[in-house]
Each structure stands twice: as C-alpha cells, then as structure tokens.
Amino acid sequence: MESKKTYLIICEGASEYAYVQELNRYLNARRSRLAFVARNAGGGGFKSLRQLCRAMKTKANGRTFILADRDIYFRNDDDNGTQYECEKSRMPPFLFQKWNFEDFLLLHY
C-alpha cells in the first residue's frame, strides 16, 4: 500500500488553520493519499510567517507551503510586500488567497 503524501501548511491565522484541518478530515474520510499538517503563525505579516518557518526549519522542499492573504502584500502594509519580494526565494512557496480568507471561502459557494 502506498503511503500518504504529507504537506505542511503554514497558516497565517486561526481561520486558515481550521480550514486546513477540515480539508484534512474530508480527505481522510475519503481515504485520500494526501494529508495536510497545519501550523498557525499567529499573523499574516511576513515576519510572523518567516519566524515560524525558521522555527520549524522549513525549506523550499516541495512539501511545505504558506497560506496567506494577498491584500496586505499587494498594499505593502508594514512593508510585507517588499520583504516577501526580497526573501521569497529562501522561503517555501506562498499560496496567496485573493484577497483575503473570507473572499477565498466565498469562492466555495
């Protein structure tokens, strides 16, 4: 039997974390070979996400992704967009939501 392919998802907050948890339950109920492990960074700012990535010693390994709202990076709130552009090659890929998590959820309906 083939083992599950597990992905680490660094989430910016509690709602994204809960979404990934529910998605994982859905996949488990259907005996999917995919599994997600969510970690909450406690904020969507680049510094918070980078700090958790460093604490978890993540790399751009194809199995780690960051789930974040696009709006604060687009507007460059607190210099998030600039920091992201400067360091994105050293970080796991960002999966940006358009524009924020609530908009992302609405796309399900």
Side-chain angles (χ1 to χ4, degrees):
M1 182 174 167
E2 192 175 321
S3 64
K4 285 190 176 193
K5 193 167 194 174
T6 303
Y7 295 93
L8 173 63
I9 309 295
I10 306 290
C11 303
E12 71 170 46
S15 54
E16 292 83 1
Y17 176 85
Y19 176 81
V20 173
Q21 295 281 82
E22 285 300 316
L23 179 58
N24 205 38
R25 284 187 193 100
Y26 175 84
L27 293 170
N28 282 337
R30 280 145 189 83
R31 298 185 179 165
S32 173
R33 291 191 178 117
L34 293 175
F36 297 105
V37 175
R39 294 292 181 259
N40 185 344
F46 187 81
K47 290 178 183 177
S48 297
L49 296 168
R50 181 182 58 203
Q51 183 178 12
L52 183 56
C53 286
R54 286 180 177 169
M56 298 190 72
K57 297 180 176 24
T58 62
K59 295 188 172 39
N61 60 12
R63 293 204 169 201
T64 302
F65 297 92
I66 299 170
L67 188 59
D69 291 347
R70 173 87 173 111
D71 58 349
I72 66 170
Y73 291 83
F74 179 80
R75 290 189 311 260
N76 202 26
D77 295 355
D78 296 325
D79 214 26
N80 286 304
T82 302
Q83 292 175 48
Y84 166 73
E85 288 299 326
C86 290
E87 296 189 43
K88 68 182 178 183
S89 65
R90 295 187 295 268
M91 300 282 292
F94 276 58
L95 303 174
F96 284 115
Q97 301 164 118
K98 185 177 175 140
W99 289 99
N100 56 44
F101 186 69
E102 293 75 18
D103 292 339
F104 171 74
L105 279 180
L106 287 174
L107 292 174
H108 286 66
Y109 297 102

